[in-house]
Amino acid sequence: MASNAAAPFWRAAGMTYITYSNICANLVRNCLKEPYKTEALSREKVHFAVTKFVDGNPQKPIVRSDSGTA
């Protein structure tokens, strides 16, 4: 019985929830005062490893870093 009028505004704007959530998080981080702002921005960085598989065998992983900014 849900109608389109009850759809979340982020979906009506054509965004995914993750995109909406990231925008909100960036706004909150930018509103913080020092030293909390610097601390929050440093936690935004992400480190992860990517492993490619060739013929079912893992290759050497590649460590990547993402600053979290688009």
Side-chain angles (χ1 to χ4, degrees):
M1 297 197 117
S3 67
N4 288 339
F9 64 90
W10 49 266
R11 183 160 304 199
M15 288 190 265
T16 65
Y17 181 76
I18 296 297
T19 304
Y20 165 72
S21 177
N22 285 336
I23 290 170
C24 291
N26 284 330
L27 288 171
V28 169
R29 283 187 212 103
N30 288 330
C31 290
L32 293 172
K33 293 183 179 179
E34 292 297 339
Y36 306 110
K37 183 176 185 176
T38 305
E39 184 180 333
L41 290 172
S42 70
R43 285 193 307 256
E44 184 180 17
K45 296 178 183 156
V46 177
H47 304 283
F48 58 96
V50 176
T51 304
K52 292 187 178 183
F53 284 78
V54 176
D55 296 327
N57 298 319
Q59 303 298 308
K60 183 178 178 182
I62 300 169
V63 176
R64 306 261 329 241
S65 294
D66 183 16
S67 63
T69 56

